């Protein structure tokens, strides 16, 4: 039996109540209760609905995780929780629950950064992170490039989106095309029957020399293209629009990620976040990394989207690094900067 601590992680930054249990970098349980269906009719996440759903799902989801791992509450050695960034009300539910569990069990509490947790989770599948590595996090709320010397202590922001996140653009374009929410999986699916070169959509900040992203102009260009076709009575071939839009997004993402690797002399690239589940992003990233001699790490799709396992993994790294536990007074911080790994 390993003497590594058992860490329970709680994730409630958006619309998924995620509970994970790890021992070191070994995953023992990963249970999720999603409220996405409750948000679908609104075309986006409604913060109050998400908060209420977390409140209702918390206890049964924790109990499912313990059952999945074959453990009891008394076996848990530490609690980790997403303290930010995310939706304020949703974060508060997770942070309050984590404080209660930590206090009731008499174990240390670790408040962690949601984005750093997306980096840490890859260790469950591919082992310890290379030091340093470049991490690109792409999701509904974030598009960031990071230099990661040590995920438990030192994360440096290199660039981020100046407007819409990549996942947000997927959702908005899906709505224009009459596809359901969340848009990412539906655009990915539709694009398989289309051509990525059918329509020349713009690539924001493609050659500007920075490591920042911009997807607002692309989203607007797709909407204007569709509107023009509909006005003139011409058919809109959804698979071609989806594929061409998707190609524009992943072209920029992979180009900037490899630019970051070159500029910082790093040979390892990690891609995380919900958009990392996109099949075309994974394929193009692999192709370009192979050509550049860069090693690519992408977690399996189930670990890319928000989950408790990623929070537990970062918590385990903090324990192993001897980081001082958080106070029971820690706040939920909706705008927690990526450079703050632990609060």
């Amino acid at each position: 039996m390993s003497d590594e601590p058992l860490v329970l992680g709680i994730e409630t930054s958006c619309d998924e109540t995620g509970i994970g249990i790890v021992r070191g970098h070994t995953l023992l349980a990963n249970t999720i209760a999603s409220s996405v269906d409750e948000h679908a009719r609104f075309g986006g996440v409604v913060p109050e609905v998400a908060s209420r759903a977390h409140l209702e799902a918390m206890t049964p989801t924790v109990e499912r995780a313990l059952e999945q791992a074959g453990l009891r509450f008394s076996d848990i050695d530490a609690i980790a929780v997403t303290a930010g960034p995310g939706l304020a009300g949703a974060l508060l539910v997770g942070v309050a629950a984590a404080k209660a569990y930590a206090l009731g069990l008499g174990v240390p509490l670790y408040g962690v950064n949601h984005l750093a947790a997306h980096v840490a989770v890859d260790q469950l599948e591919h082992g310890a992170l290379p030091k340093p590595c470049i991490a690109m996090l792409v999701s509904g709320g974030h598009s960031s490039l990071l230099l990661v010397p040590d995920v438990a202590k030192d994360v440096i922001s290199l660039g981020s989106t100046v407007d819409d996140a990549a996942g947000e653009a997927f959702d908005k374009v899906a709505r224009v095309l009459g596809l359901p929410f969340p848009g990412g999986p539906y655009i990915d699916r539709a694009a398989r029957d289309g051509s990525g070169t059918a329509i020349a959509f713009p690539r924001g900040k493609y050659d500007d020399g920075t490591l920042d992203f911009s997807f607002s102009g692309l989203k607007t260009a797709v909407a204007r293209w569709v509107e023009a076709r509909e006005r003139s009575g011409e058919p809109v071939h959804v698979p071609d629009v989806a594929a061409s839009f998707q190609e524009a997004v992943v072209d920029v993402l992979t180009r900037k990620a490899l630019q970051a690797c070159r500029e910082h002399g790093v040979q390892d690239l990690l891609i995380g976040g919900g958009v990392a589940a996109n099949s075309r992003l994974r394929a193009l990233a692999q192709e370009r990394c192979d050509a550049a001699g860069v090693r690519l790490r992408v977690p399996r799709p189930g670990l890319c989207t928000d989950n408790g396992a990623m929070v537990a993994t970062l918590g385990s790294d903090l324990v192993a690094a001897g980081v001082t536990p958080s106070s029971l007074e820690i706040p939920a911080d909706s705008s927690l900067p990526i450079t703050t790994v632990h609060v």
Side-chain angles (χ1 to χ4, degrees), residues 40 170-171 174-175 177-187:
F170 271 91
D171 288 338
R175 195 182 312 169
L177 295 176
L179 297 173
F181 173 86
Y186 293 98
I187 285 183

Side-chain angles (χ1 to χ4, degrees), residues 254-317:
T254 54
R255 178 185 174 89
K256 296 262 185 178
L258 284 166
Q259 179 187 334
C261 289
R262 281 195 309 274
E263 289 182 4
H264 293 272
V266 174
Q267 295 301 305
D268 292 276
L269 171 64
L270 182 150
I271 304 179
V275 179
N278 179 272
S279 62
R280 180 58 184 149
L281 174 57
R282 296 168 85 95
L284 186 60
Q286 190 65 66
E287 182 185 312
R288 290 184 168 176
C289 283
D290 288 346
V294 169
R295 292 177 291 271
L296 176 65
R297 295 166 60 122
V298 192
R300 61 181 181 268
L303 292 178
C304 289
T305 49
D306 292 349
N307 62 82
M310 68 188 207
V311 178
T313 305
L314 182 52
S316 181
D317 286 343

Side-chain angles (χ1 to χ4, degrees), residues 199-218:
I199 307 155
F201 287 130
R203 276 109 163 112
K205 300 184 78 65
Y206 196 70
D207 284 313
D208 69 344
T210 75
L211 294 173
D212 290 328
F213 303 102
S214 171
F215 297 109
S216 181
L218 169 61

Side-chain angles (χ1 to χ4, degrees), residues 170 184 187-189 191-192 201 218 241-251 278-281:
F170 271 91
I187 285 183
D188 194 353
R189 209 167 298 145
R192 291 170 197 170
F201 287 130
L218 169 61
V241 180
S244 298
F245 159 75
Q246 178 177 267
E247 194 67 22
V249 173
V250 303
D251 182 15
N278 179 272
S279 62
R280 180 58 184 149
L281 174 57

Side-chain angles (χ1 to χ4, degrees), residues 85-243:
L87 302 174
L91 289 167
L92 280 167
V93 176
V95 169
K99 290 176 180 178
Y101 283 126
L103 185 62
L105 296 172
V107 298
L109 171 70
Y110 293 86
V112 308
N113 189 299
H114 175 80
L115 301 179
H118 270 302
V119 177
V121 74
D122 184 68
Q123 299 174 107
L124 295 180
E125 197 164 2
H126 299 123
L129 290 173
K131 296 182 179 182
C133 69
I134 295 290
M136 180 169 69
L137 301 184
V138 274
S139 67
H142 306 278
S143 295
S144 307
L145 274 168
L146 312 168
L147 175 63
V148 186
D150 182 343
V151 71
K153 295 179 178 177
D154 192 11
V155 177
I156 301 160
S157 177
L158 302 178
S160 60
T161 183
V162 298
D163 41 56
D164 289 357
E168 189 180 355
F170 271 91
D171 288 338
K172 290 176 177 176
V173 167
R175 195 182 312 169
V176 168
L177 295 176
L179 297 173
F181 173 86
Y186 293 98
I187 285 183
D188 194 353
R189 209 167 298 145
R192 291 170 197 170
D193 297 320
S195 166
T197 57
I199 307 155
F201 287 130
R203 276 109 163 112
K205 300 184 78 65
Y206 196 70
D207 284 313
D208 69 344
T210 75
L211 294 173
D212 290 328
F213 303 102
S214 171
F215 297 109
S216 181
L218 169 61
K219 169 204 68 184
T220 303
V222 175
R224 296 288 172 268
W225 189 93
V226 171
E227 287 166 9
R229 299 283 287 194
E230 289 173 342
R231 264 199 312 272
S232 64
E234 295 176 82
V236 173
H237 189 241
V238 170
D240 278 350
V241 180

